[in-house]
Amino acid sequence: MGRHSKPGPGESFGDRDEPADQPESPTGRFARPGDGFDHGDTGDGADNDDYQPSPLTDTARRRIAAFEGGHRSEGGRRGVSIGVIVALITVVVVVGAVILWRFFGDALSHRSADAAQQCLDGTVNVGVVADPSIAADVTKFADSFNAVVTPVGDRCVKMVVTAADSDQVVDGFVADWPGDLGERPALWIPASSIATARLQAAAGKEAVSDARSLVSSPVVLAVRPQLKDALAQQGWAALPGLQNDPGALDALNLPGWGSLRLALPTVGNAGATYLTAEAVAAASAPAGAPATAGLGAVNALVAGQPKLADNSADTAFTTLLSPDDPAGAPVHAVATTEQQLFSRASTPDAKDSVAEWLPPGPVAVADYPTVLLSGTWLSGEQVSAASEFARFMRKPEQLTALAKAGFRAEGTTAPGNDVVTFPALGPPLSVGDDSVRATLAAAVSSPATGSATTIMLDQGMGADEGGRSRLANVVTALANRIGALPPNAAVGLWTFNGVEGRSAVPMGPVSDQVDGQPRSAALTGTLTGLTPSGSGAVSFTTLRLVYGDALANFRQGQANSVLVITEGPHTDQTLDGPGLVQYVKSAVDPARPVAINVIDIGDDSDRETWEAVTQASGGTYQNVATSDSPDLATAVTTLLS
């Protein structure tokens, strides 16, 4: 049918397009001839205003309803309204938007993750320095960690492990960092927290942001099997005497063995010598006194050790286990850790040549802290990665591996062997705060070397806030250190009492005789006999005399120095501060260098002068707030050697 033809019988109006200018029917739609209506205008020119609608059939009504847009369906039911259609469209739009948002959001997220996995900003190395006794295990852990660690931001991280003893690390932070240790680390795993105390004493507490134990190993003595039974219930306090008495082991039913001959290696020995020093000091100090009161015993133990080719644990163990006659061997025992002995005694016949002796009482323990370092050389990514790696090493898998290597780790059981049985331990040793530990460590790291020192002591010092005499504290520190000096060390003593300065014991080797006794005994006897008197009034004028005497009696081949210990103030008008500084500058002789070192106690008004004097002579100025502290012992140990 054509576009404008009339509908035939049975045709639906909805099958045709309607012109827009047709008149509207009573139903609101445009009508046509033949649509069932009687129109007023028949097209013949006559108006027919009085038209009447023709009767509608059911079929016509259905066609009209269909033509009206489907508002009603057959049977009189209503169709879908426009509002519902709009709502459905809205829902479809919203759902579509959500789907698109999630799609693009996931795409961007994956894109960001992919970018990170590709390390767009490169890879940053994270330095880890570990004690040689645990470095191999830490290296394996680092390889595993590097394989699974996720990037930090857009940078990948890689743990790089280097083995180093604590002495190397501490010295590196105080001076220049050694190039063979790689970059400055973000994480340090020394054998003992003594190393942490030493680092903070040298570089400041802010150098460490966190430190906590990873595993542990007690300090033991690796001894010849015959010696284990002989030592029996001997303790830490007995070791200095056994070390220095030529017939000590003969008295313990080992005829011909001589002294203990205990080697105290500091290289490759997991910090065992430092821990031994703490145990000996704590056991030797008088009841109620700090551990530093036992420094004399530590100095004696260190000074009496066997003289070997070097100070390494390898050399000490090689000498201990040599097949020669054990009684005449240069080494009868080595201070070490349980883990070190376990790793060295894994052969079937090891029990025939070495045994483990754990001294009774509080146990000195190597606690292997994970030390997170803080410094301007570290980036945020390195700090975060180091912290995450420290946590990674504490997981059960890693702790189990460390236990198999001979360490004691939480939740694990060590395997043991014929020499090391991993017995139950007593309470751990505690020696005080970090300053005490640093002081005791100094006796090991800075042993006496045989220099020539003139001590100039202020006899007029008063008392500290606790009421204890400063002079008494200084005398104790000096006596402990003199007892540790090697025979070739030369020492002299001057005192001043506010009126005059005088030579109390002339300069000379401590082993030489003075009035029928060794100079060391004469020095300690004179010191302990001093009583507080006078003041520091003539300190400047006394130093002028002492410095001139030191130059006149200069000892070639030794480090010459004057050690001034005073609290001031100087009041003698014959020589003021600028005059003393000028004198020292004019007296300095490059061919006979004599350094002036000063330990200045309390708030001394002469501090500026003392600092200038030490600088002019190439010496060291050390202020100590109070004599009743480990700082004094540390200063004396460092400056009298």
Side-chain angles (χ1 to χ4, degrees), residues 138-148 158-159 161 389 392:
V138 174
T139 299
K140 294 178 183 177
F141 300 157
D143 292 339
S144 299
F145 180 79
N146 291 338
V148 300
K158 179 182 179 181
M159 314 309 292
V161 181
F389 183 53
F392 176 82

Side-chain angles (χ1 to χ4, degrees), residues 133-142 339 393 401-402 405 407:
S133 60
I134 200 173
D137 295 288
V138 174
T139 299
K140 294 178 183 177
F141 300 157
Q339 187 275 332
M393 289 189 291
L402 290 170
F407 296 98

Side-chain angles (χ1 to χ4, degrees), residues 238-640:
L239 297 185
L242 296 173
Q243 183 86 302
N244 292 283
D245 182 353
L249 298 188
D250 298 82
L252 296 178
N253 297 319
L254 287 175
W257 281 62
S259 62
L260 179 59
R261 301 175 195 171
L262 172 63
L264 299 161
T266 56
V267 177
N269 198 32
T273 294
Y274 291 100
L275 291 162
T276 298
E278 288 191 343
V280 170
S284 303
T292 49
L295 264 175
V298 175
N299 291 330
L301 182 70
V302 174
Q305 68 175 311
K307 302 300 185 283
L308 302 177
D310 56 44
N311 204 24
S312 71
D314 287 342
T315 298
F317 270 97
T318 299
T319 308
L320 172 69
L321 303 177
S322 63
D324 297 335
D325 174 30
V331 174
H332 291 151
V334 178
T336 189
T337 63
E338 181 182 62
Q339 187 275 332
Q340 288 281 87
L341 181 56
F342 172 80
S343 64
R344 293 177 182 273
S346 297
T347 58
D349 58 347
K351 64 180 183 300
D352 298 330
S353 55
V354 67
E356 175 188 33
W357 180 59
L358 177 65
V363 182
V365 177
D367 55 347
Y368 287 89
T370 53
V371 183
L372 295 174
L373 300 171
S374 177
T376 56
W377 68 90
L378 296 173
S379 67
E381 293 91 346
Q382 290 172 314
V383 171
S384 297
S387 178
E388 185 62 29
F389 183 53
R391 288 192 292 270
F392 176 82
M393 289 189 291
R394 288 184 170 82
K395 293 184 177 180
E397 182 179 354
Q398 280 68 254
L399 293 181
T400 299
L402 290 170
K404 291 180 180 179
F407 296 98
R408 297 190 182 222
E410 184 177 357
T412 66
T413 301
N417 57 30
D418 292 338
V419 175
V420 180
T421 60
F422 295 91
L425 301 178
L429 175 69
S430 177
V431 297
D433 60 18
D434 285 351
S435 62
V436 172
R437 306 193 80 180
T439 298
L440 295 173
V444 176
S445 62
S446 302
T449 57
S451 60
T453 306
T454 301
I455 302 169
M456 185 184 123
L457 179 59
D458 182 353
Q459 194 175 339
M461 290 185 288
D464 282 316
E465 292 182 0
R468 183 167 169 78
S469 167
R470 284 181 173 175
L471 180 62
N473 290 333
V474 171
V475 165
T476 298
L478 288 172
N480 283 337
R481 188 55 173 167
I482 289 171
L485 296 175
N488 65 329
V491 179
L493 175 65
W494 282 63
T495 63
F496 60 100
N497 59 10
V499 177
E500 64 175 353
R502 66 183 185 90
S503 175
V505 178
M507 163 72 72
V510 294
S511 58
D512 285 2
Q513 296 290 304
V514 176
D515 298 331
Q517 60 180 336
R519 181 174 272 99
S520 58
L523 287 165
T524 55
T526 301
L527 286 168
T528 55
L530 295 175
T531 57
S533 64
S535 66
V538 295
S539 57
F540 293 175
T541 49
T542 301
L543 178 57
R544 182 170 56 185
L545 295 174
V546 171
Y547 194 66
D549 183 71
L551 288 169
N553 295 284
F554 184 83
R555 298 180 65 84
Q556 293 289 343
Q558 291 181 291
N560 287 244
S561 65
V562 173
L563 175 58
V564 179
I565 305 178
T566 184
E567 68 175 10
H570 171 83
T571 57
D572 186 355
Q573 298 299 313
T574 60
L575 183 65
D576 59 9
L580 175 63
V581 174
Q582 182 58 41
Y583 162 74
V584 171
K585 287 181 177 180
S586 63
V588 167
D589 183 355
R592 297 176 297 166
V594 177
I596 299 175
N597 301 313
V598 177
I599 298 176
D600 200 7
I601 302 175
D603 187 13
D604 185 0
S605 59
D606 296 327
R607 175 169 182 163
E608 184 177 350
T609 297
W610 293 127
E611 289 178 332
V613 164
T614 57
Q615 184 176 6
S617 63
T620 300
Y621 173 85
Q622 178 69 58
N623 180 262
V624 177
T626 172
S627 67
D628 192 15
S629 74
D631 294 340
L632 175 64
T634 300
V636 170
T637 298
T638 302
L639 299 177
L640 178 57

